[in-house]
Amino acid sequence: MAERLLQASRQRRMKAMTAAAGSAGRAAVPLLLCALLVPGGAYVVDDSDGLGREFDGIGAISGGGATSRLLVNYPEPYRSQILDYLFKPNFGASLHILKVEIGGDGQTTDGTEPSHMHYALDENYFRGYEWWLMKEAKKRNPNIILMGLPWSFPGWLGKGFNWPYVNLQLTAYYVMTWIVGAKHYHDLDIDYIGIWNERSYDINYIKVLRRMLNYQGLDRVKIIASDNLWEPISASMLLDSELLEVIDVIGAHYPGTHIVKDAKLTKKKLWSSEDFSTVNSDVGAGCLGRILNQNYINGYMTATIAWNLVASYYEQLPYGRCGLMTAQEPWSGHYVVESPIWVSAHTTQFTQPGWYYLKTVGHLEKGGSYVALTDGLGNLTIIIETMSHKHSKCIRPFLPYFNVSHQFATFVLKGSFSEIPELQVWYTKLGKPSTRFLFKQLDSLWLLDSSGTFSLELQEDELFTLTTLTTGGKGSYPLPPKSQPFPRIYKDDFDVDYPFFSEAPNFADQTGVFEYFTNIEDPGEHRFTLRQVLNQRPITWAADAYNTISIIGDYKWSNLTVTCDVYIETPEKGGVFIAGRVNKGGILIRGARGVFFWIFANGTYRVTGDLAGWIIYALGHVDVTAKTWYTLRLIVKGRFSSGMLNGRAVWTNIPVSFPKNGWAAIGTYSFEFAQFDNFHVEATS
Ligand SMILES: *[C@@H]1O[C@H](CO)[C@@H](O)[C@H](O)[C@H]1NC(C)=O
Ligand SMILES: *[C@@H]1O[C@H](CO)[C@@H](O)[C@H](O)[C@H]1NC(C)=O
Ligand SMILES: *[C@@H]1O[C@H](CO)[C@@H](O)[C@H](O)[C@H]1NC(C)=O
Ligand SMILES: *[C@@H]1O[C@H](CO)[C@@H](O)[C@H](O)[C@H]1NC(C)=O
């Protein structure tokens, strides 16, 4: 392996291969011959003319939205194993940065995440799972950098407008309390705070936020803006010296490895603060390998943050499997350590924030690129990628054609690196299973007699890391359990006295927020329930539905019976539903079709073919009022559906031809309190 890839000349290669045929183990191949004998490009790695920009890290995003939803309910030891693959140093992706969504109650791509302030006088720093995730990340890597960014905001901040900048002080206060709460309740130091994901910024808001943070003694918390495009924020900064001062980092999304002139003129740190977002196949891995190098080479970006950290949401939601790895089956414990984990490792395990890029980075003659970084203490890491166009397309932006082909590349170490005796070699080849390698350690490379010169034979879709660090490691655990479909029979009575997470396992809120709830006065059956807790539409980031809805189960479910106790809290206007065959979620939730059985506090029921209620299959009167528990049952089988209330048929054999399958769901008519208990679903064939 090593003998094929590392040699100083063709002639040498033949000799080395001959020698290797008879030897075993980690015999290093000394590389001696003059590099000029090797056809192909020559690349100098040198620090004598100073260093390039400071490296700030490689990271990933949990949230934006609800992308870690299913992770939290994984049984041990699998949950810890997944976290190790993501965060543990010298083990897997070994991320330097964790960026999380500041839950704002709204739909933010694959679900909603709860705010720490649902209402004006409300404060709770134990909702959701991002606090837990940050702590798990810190446990594994105390140096991990933490970032927070809002996507949506709770509705009360908008004072009637769908806009977070109505009262700048109030919104800054809201964000500041999240940072203070992280420290106070979880001992988490948030390092960077953002403005409003992929939406407008307000110059005065950014200044108010800075002042509020400083006033609270949070000077150390840096501001990143504006998590959208390079412009107009860069131009705004160049025109406003105070703004230029308060923004520490310009973060752009999906920059396609390029920046604009203004961004560079600000002389600020430039980050790709959201990138990747590609299915985690080998093409996704190729995308990541290419941008991790080229975001710096082409665009001077010193951090790249992937959306998303781990694909832990139902796969049929938008952007299914666009995480560094896949963990979407808490019911089976099955997960997959996908190739982007190992592509990340090529950079993350051999650099740290605070290292510096060398000035000598760039493109390879026949396609691909190389970067080199140093800690300034003599360590050197070189990362070479030869991702082909076909196998490295990211989901966005458009990737102009380029050609990568077989080549030899000779590297010459100069300056303080000229005396390096040995480099560790880590290798990945994406693509065909027969020739595929993921983060494999090869024989180390001895440079003793070669005056710092070595050559590589490079094929398409390869990654090499050559480094002085000997600490790298390819972590592994025994294979997790086999993939299983969601259980065909599933129940939850929500009887949890001190829940560790605010949401019930497997329920994935798509509009509204559903939380465990305790009816303190009720000693009986419905003491512990699941409650929809939003009483107002959030300041939205996406097209949240006008109803609230939480989905659960298997998208493939076609014939099913859903039974659930329901409790409308709002007299006259309130209403709740249970549903089957719900065929859309995430940012598409508003257009979800399915079979929805609604009851209303005004004594009526409805059966609709969509969440919005446009397609009405049936309606009528039924003996229902608010503040009473009822048991609803929805039966969907083949082309027909029936509904029952407290065991009595309300409607029967209504034709339902579309959609053919989808999730089960519960929800409310509007943003209103309502409770659910004894949820039971049985998928039948
Ligand atoms: C390289 O890094 C290691 C580990 O951080 C450190 O101990 C060592 O001093 C550094 N320098 C050299 C030349 O190895
Ligand atoms: C890519 O480059 C190789 C070698 O330079 C050449 O043989 C091949 O035709 C090129 N492919 C395309 C599509 O340009
Ligand atoms: C009952 O309430 C629902 C939801 O508010 C409403 O759409 C419906 O028109 C009402 N029906 C009657 C008969 O008042
Ligand atoms: C659903 O039930 C219908 C009617 O009994 C049956 O024809 C169909 O095969 C069932 N579908 C599945 C996926 O089991």
Side-chain angles (χ1 to χ4, degrees):
M1 185 81 245
E3 291 74 11
R4 180 182 73 77
L5 296 159
L6 311 171
Q7 25 69 47
S9 76
R10 276 177 174 164
Q11 218 178 3
R12 191 76 200 169
R13 176 185 174 203
M14 296 319 292
K15 280 185 195 161
M17 286 175 82
T18 318
S23 71
R26 282 174 52 101
V29 185
L31 301 166
L32 302 168
L33 290 191
C34 169
L36 293 177
L37 294 177
V38 180
Y43 311 94
V44 171
V45 172
D46 190 0
D47 62 351
S48 27
D49 185 29
L51 299 172
R53 289 192 174 211
E54 184 182 2
F55 173 69
D56 297 307
I58 304 299
I61 303 170
S62 170
T67 54
S68 304
R69 175 65 193 89
L70 299 174
L71 174 65
V72 301
N73 300 121
Y74 262 76
E76 293 294 352
Y78 311 115
R79 191 174 68 176
S80 293
Q81 293 172 359
I82 296 161
L83 293 164
D84 284 349
Y85 282 116
L86 295 169
F87 299 117
K88 195 172 165 180
N90 300 311
F91 191 87
S94 308
L95 297 171
H96 306 137
I97 300 171
L98 172 61
K99 172 173 169 179
V100 303
E101 173 174 354
I102 301 177
D105 294 339
Q107 169 60 250
T108 53
T109 299
D110 291 298
T112 68
E113 295 194 34
S115 170
H116 59 293
M117 291 187 170
H118 292 316
Y119 330 106
L121 296 175
D122 169 51
E123 265 184 273
N124 181 323
Y125 299 90
F126 296 92
R127 293 182 186 134
Y129 32 81
E130 305 296 2
W131 309 109
W132 165 82
L133 186 66
M134 287 190 278
K135 284 191 283 190
E136 293 295 323
K138 276 273 177 195
K139 254 190 229 169
R140 289 165 174 81
N141 175 6
N143 297 323
I144 198 163
I145 293 162
L146 298 177
M147 306 177 63
L149 175 65
W151 267 249
S152 67
F153 296 85
W156 61 273
L157 279 175
K159 299 188 177 291
F161 296 89
N162 193 26
W163 191 243
Y165 304 128
V166 173
N167 182 332
L168 303 183
Q169 307 280 340
L170 194 60
T171 298
Y173 173 80
Y174 166 81
V175 169
M176 179 274 289
T177 58
W178 186 85
I179 300 171
V180 171
K183 182 68 184 171
H184 186 83
Y185 294 98
H186 304 286
D187 197 25
L188 292 166
D189 289 301
I190 303 300
D191 300 290
Y192 291 85
I193 195 78
I195 307 304
W196 187 14
N197 182 68
E198 291 175 8
R199 295 292 178 267
S200 313
Y201 59 88
D202 177 301
I203 291 175
N204 288 323
Y205 168 72
I206 300 173
K207 296 175 182 173
V208 167
L209 178 64
R210 179 74 270 163
R211 281 200 288 276
M212 181 136 355
L213 293 176
N214 292 354
Y215 183 77
Q216 288 292 326
L218 296 168
D219 309 63
R220 61 172 289 281
V221 179
K222 297 192 171 77
I223 290 182
I224 176 165
S226 66
D227 281 296
N228 202 343
L229 304 175
W230 295 118
E231 297 286 22
I233 189 70
S234 301
S236 295
M237 290 166 75
L238 292 173
L239 289 169
D240 182 331
S241 59
E242 189 192 344
L243 185 69
L244 185 69
E245 176 121 352
V246 300
I247 294 174
D248 298 280
V249 174
I250 306 181
H253 289 193
Y254 306 96
T257 77
H258 292 284
I259 49 163
V260 302
K261 199 168 151 209
D262 279 355
K264 204 170 175 217
L265 285 175
T266 62
K267 298 201 166 69
K268 290 286 173 174
K269 281 179 177 291
L270 309 173
W271 291 10
S272 177
S273 53
E274 186 179 318
D275 216 325
F276 178 60
S277 189
T278 303
V279 174
N280 55 26
S281 63
D282 274 13
V283 174
C287 152
L288 191 64
R290 181 172 54 75
I291 64 178
L292 290 187
N293 263 19
Q294 298 197 21
N295 274 345
Y296 184 73
I297 297 165
N298 302 338
Y300 305 96
M301 283 166 259
T302 52
T304 295
I305 304 175
W307 187 87
N308 55 65
L309 174 71
V310 51
S312 280
Y313 44 99
Y314 291 114
E315 186 168 345
Q316 294 82 4
L317 287 169
Y319 305 100
R321 275 190 57 198
C322 288
L324 297 180
M325 64 181 282
T326 306
Q328 55 190 15
E329 287 185 21
W331 49 88
S332 71
H334 178 73
Y335 63 84
V336 187
V337 185
E338 313 274 9
S339 44
I341 291 287
W342 303 117
V343 166
S344 308
H346 269 276
T347 300
T348 53
Q349 292 199 9
F350 308 107
T351 58
Q352 286 301 320
W355 282 44
Y356 279 82
Y357 282 102
L358 301 195
K359 287 182 179 167
T360 50
V361 300
H363 293 269
L364 301 173
E365 228 165 58
K366 294 202 172 167
S369 69
Y370 68 102
V371 293
L373 299 103
T374 182
D375 61 353
L377 304 168
N379 281 304
L380 173 69
T381 291
I382 303 171
I383 305 143
I384 300 160
E385 60 82 20
T386 56
M387 297 305 154
S388 64
H389 182 263
K390 191 165 69 180
H391 295 128
S392 75
K393 277 187 205 151
C394 306
I395 202 163
R396 67 178 83 91
F398 173 77
L399 183 65
Y401 182 74
F402 56 83
N403 188 5
V404 178
S405 59
H406 173 248
Q407 62 192 306
F408 291 91
T410 299
F411 289 84
V412 185
L413 308 189
K414 292 195 168 163
S416 53
F417 311 117
S418 59
E419 308 277 285
I420 288 175
E422 184 188 5
L423 290 171
Q424 308 298 313
V425 184
W426 292 83
Y427 174 67
T428 287
K429 166 117 184 141
L430 300 170
K432 283 199 224 85
S434 58
T435 55
R436 194 165 176 259
F437 290 94
L438 293 174
F439 198 56
K440 180 182 167 60
Q441 183 163 24
L442 305 184
D443 288 357
S444 66
L445 182 61
W446 286 93
L447 300 167
L448 280 177
D449 305 315
S450 67
S451 31
T453 301
F454 63 91
S455 296
L456 299 177
E457 179 180 1
L458 300 169
Q459 312 277 358
E460 285 171 55
D461 302 318
E462 290 182 333
L463 263 173
F464 278 92
T465 299
L466 299 118
T467 178
T468 55
L469 292 187
T470 53
T471 42
K474 185 171 183 182
S476 75
Y477 286 113
L479 276 184
K482 283 207 170 63
S483 174
Q484 299 277 352
F486 193 94
R488 219 165 49 74
I489 300 175
Y490 184 83
K491 333 178 191 203
D492 196 339
D493 58 14
F494 312 115
D495 288 359
V496 187
D497 208 341
Y498 293 102
F500 197 81
F501 294 105
S502 53
E503 48 279 275
N506 303 314
F507 279 93
D509 305 349
Q510 299 302 318
T511 294
V513 173
F514 295 72
E515 294 177 350
Y516 282 124
F517 184 68
T518 306
N519 285 300
I520 299 171
E521 291 105 65
D522 185 345
E525 214 198 320
H526 300 299
R527 183 172 173 81
F528 300 109
T529 67
L530 191 69
R531 189 189 201 204
Q532 199 295 115
V533 297
L534 299 195
N535 57 1
Q536 188 178 3
R537 189 177 174 76
I539 296 173
T540 54
W541 182 80
D544 295 44
Y546 291 98
N547 331 83
T548 76
I549 175 169
S550 188
I551 60 167
I552 186 166
D554 191 331
Y555 189 80
K556 295 194 184 80
W557 280 348
S558 167
N559 296 334
L560 76 169
T561 300
V562 185
T563 310
C564 191
D565 297 346
V566 298
Y567 183 87
I568 302 168
E569 292 189 42
T570 312
E572 286 156 47
K573 290 191 167 162
V576 297
F577 71 82
I578 62 173
R581 293 188 185 170
V582 175
N583 74 342
K584 280 186 190 136
I587 43 180
L588 307 174
I589 188 61
R590 203 184 272 182
R593 300 280 304 266
V595 183
F596 297 79
F597 177 18
W598 311 74
I599 57 167
F600 299 101
N602 62 13
T604 63
Y605 77 90
R606 254 173 218 211
V607 188
T608 67
D610 62 341
L611 176 62
W614 297 110
I615 304 162
I616 300 173
Y617 292 143
L619 49 77
H621 287 272
V622 69
D623 191 10
V624 166
T625 61
K627 301 192 193 295
T628 304
W629 281 97
Y630 300 97
T631 303
L632 287 186
R633 172 167 295 174
L634 170 70
I635 303 148
V636 188
K637 194 159 171 63
R639 291 186 293 114
F640 296 98
S641 179
S642 308
M644 295 164 89
L645 181 92
N646 290 347
R648 299 219 333 256
V650 180
W651 45 281
T652 46
N653 286 334
I654 285 175
V656 288
S657 49
F658 181 87
K660 295 263 182 274
N661 56 280
W663 297 288
I666 55 173
T668 66
Y669 179 65
S670 63
F671 288 93
E672 63 184 78
F673 298 134
Q675 293 175 54
F676 302 84
D677 203 358
N678 299 319
F679 177 84
H680 181 125
V681 57
E682 190 164 340
T684 55
S685 45

Tab-separated table of all heavy atoms in Angstrom, residues 30-34 418 420-421 446-453:
chain	number	residue	atom	x	y	z
A	30	PRO	N	12.618	4.362	2.640
A	30	PRO	CA	13.381	5.608	2.606
A	30	PRO	C	13.265	6.243	1.217
A	30	PRO	O	13.289	5.544	0.209
A	30	PRO	CB	14.815	5.161	2.898
A	30	PRO	CG	14.857	3.701	2.670
A	30	PRO	CD	13.482	3.177	2.673
A	31	LEU	N	13.154	7.527	1.182
A	31	LEU	CA	12.956	8.215	-0.091
A	31	LEU	C	14.151	9.106	-0.333
A	31	LEU	O	14.378	10.056	0.388
A	31	LEU	CB	11.681	9.033	-0.019
A	31	LEU	CG	10.453	8.179	0.273
A	31	LEU	CD1	9.289	9.029	0.672
A	31	LEU	CD2	10.128	7.309	-0.913
A	32	LEU	N	14.923	8.783	-1.311
A	32	LEU	CA	16.225	9.415	-1.426
A	32	LEU	C	16.428	10.180	-2.711
A	32	LEU	O	17.145	11.159	-2.750
A	32	LEU	CB	17.315	8.331	-1.338
A	32	LEU	CG	17.274	7.503	-0.060
A	32	LEU	CD1	18.183	6.302	-0.201
A	32	LEU	CD2	17.681	8.356	1.122
A	33	LEU	N	15.783	9.755	-3.742
A	33	LEU	CA	16.194	10.244	-5.050
A	33	LEU	C	15.763	11.677	-5.303
A	33	LEU	O	14.830	12.199	-4.710
A	33	LEU	CB	15.660	9.338	-6.147
A	33	LEU	CG	16.336	7.969	-6.197
A	33	LEU	CD1	15.943	7.268	-7.462
A	33	LEU	CD2	17.846	8.088	-6.099
A	34	CYS	N	16.456	12.272	-6.211
A	34	CYS	CA	16.199	13.651	-6.576
A	34	CYS	C	14.799	13.775	-7.140
A	34	CYS	O	14.388	13.014	-8.003
A	34	CYS	CB	17.230	14.097	-7.610
A	34	CYS	SG	16.805	15.665	-8.343
A	418	SER	N	12.477	21.701	7.185
A	418	SER	CA	13.415	20.999	6.310
A	418	SER	C	14.093	19.809	6.996
A	418	SER	O	14.564	18.898	6.343
A	418	SER	CB	14.468	21.975	5.777
A	418	SER	OG	15.153	22.533	6.873
A	420	ILE	N	12.598	17.804	9.280
A	420	ILE	CA	11.644	16.808	9.806
A	420	ILE	C	12.072	15.421	9.327
A	420	ILE	O	12.224	15.200	8.135
A	420	ILE	CB	10.210	17.135	9.343
A	420	ILE	CG1	9.692	18.374	10.085
A	420	ILE	CG2	9.277	15.939	9.555
A	420	ILE	CD1	8.347	18.858	9.631
A	421	PRO	N	12.256	14.482	10.269
A	421	PRO	CA	12.753	13.175	9.863
A	421	PRO	C	11.669	12.221	9.367
A	421	PRO	O	11.931	11.356	8.550
A	421	PRO	CB	13.373	12.613	11.152
A	421	PRO	CG	12.634	13.293	12.256
A	421	PRO	CD	12.195	14.635	11.736
A	446	TRP	N	9.888	8.290	5.812
A	446	TRP	CA	11.165	8.754	6.350
A	446	TRP	C	11.806	9.731	5.374
A	446	TRP	O	11.910	9.462	4.187
A	446	TRP	CB	12.098	7.568	6.593
A	446	TRP	CG	11.651	6.815	7.808
A	446	TRP	CD1	10.821	5.742	7.852
A	446	TRP	CD2	11.975	7.128	9.161
A	446	TRP	NE1	10.601	5.353	9.144
A	446	TRP	CE2	11.298	6.181	9.982
A	446	TRP	CE3	12.762	8.125	9.778
A	446	TRP	CZ2	11.399	6.198	11.372
A	446	TRP	CZ3	12.857	8.127	11.161
A	446	TRP	CH2	12.183	7.176	11.944
A	447	LEU	N	12.220	10.887	5.909
A	447	LEU	CA	12.738	11.929	5.036
A	447	LEU	C	14.218	12.178	5.280
A	447	LEU	O	14.797	13.100	4.728
A	447	LEU	CB	11.973	13.235	5.301
A	447	LEU	CG	10.470	13.149	5.050
A	447	LEU	CD1	9.771	14.353	5.641
A	447	LEU	CD2	10.195	13.038	3.577
A	448	LEU	N	14.822	11.323	6.112
A	448	LEU	CA	16.167	11.594	6.620
A	448	LEU	C	17.167	11.988	5.545
A	448	LEU	O	17.868	12.980	5.649
A	448	LEU	CB	16.680	10.355	7.364
A	448	LEU	CG	16.132	10.217	8.780
A	448	LEU	CD1	16.635	8.943	9.411
A	448	LEU	CD2	16.494	11.444	9.605
A	449	ASP	N	17.209	11.210	4.480
A	449	ASP	CA	18.253	11.432	3.485
A	449	ASP	C	17.728	12.075	2.212
A	449	ASP	O	18.369	12.036	1.175
A	449	ASP	CB	18.898	10.084	3.134
A	449	ASP	CG	19.401	9.398	4.377
A	449	ASP	OD1	20.023	10.088	5.200
A	449	ASP	OD2	19.125	8.195	4.531
A	450	SER	N	16.523	12.615	2.289
A	450	SER	CA	15.945	13.114	1.032
A	450	SER	C	15.840	14.628	1.019
A	450	SER	O	15.107	15.195	0.252
A	450	SER	CB	14.575	12.496	0.832
A	450	SER	OG	13.700	12.987	1.824
A	451	SER	N	16.566	15.284	1.905
A	451	SER	CA	16.505	16.743	2.072
A	451	SER	C	15.068	17.265	2.021
A	451	SER	O	14.749	18.190	1.290
A	451	SER	CB	17.403	17.466	1.064
A	451	SER	OG	17.495	16.735	-0.116
A	452	GLY	N	14.219	16.622	2.803
A	452	GLY	CA	12.853	17.112	2.958
A	452	GLY	C	12.003	16.976	1.717
A	452	GLY	O	11.025	17.708	1.563
A	453	THR	N	12.346	16.074	0.850
A	453	THR	CA	11.596	15.933	-0.399
A	453	THR	C	10.938	14.560	-0.455
A	453	THR	O	11.563	13.564	-0.107
A	453	THR	CB	12.544	16.084	-1.597
A	453	THR	OG1	13.146	17.369	-1.517
A	453	THR	CG2	11.799	15.966	-2.911
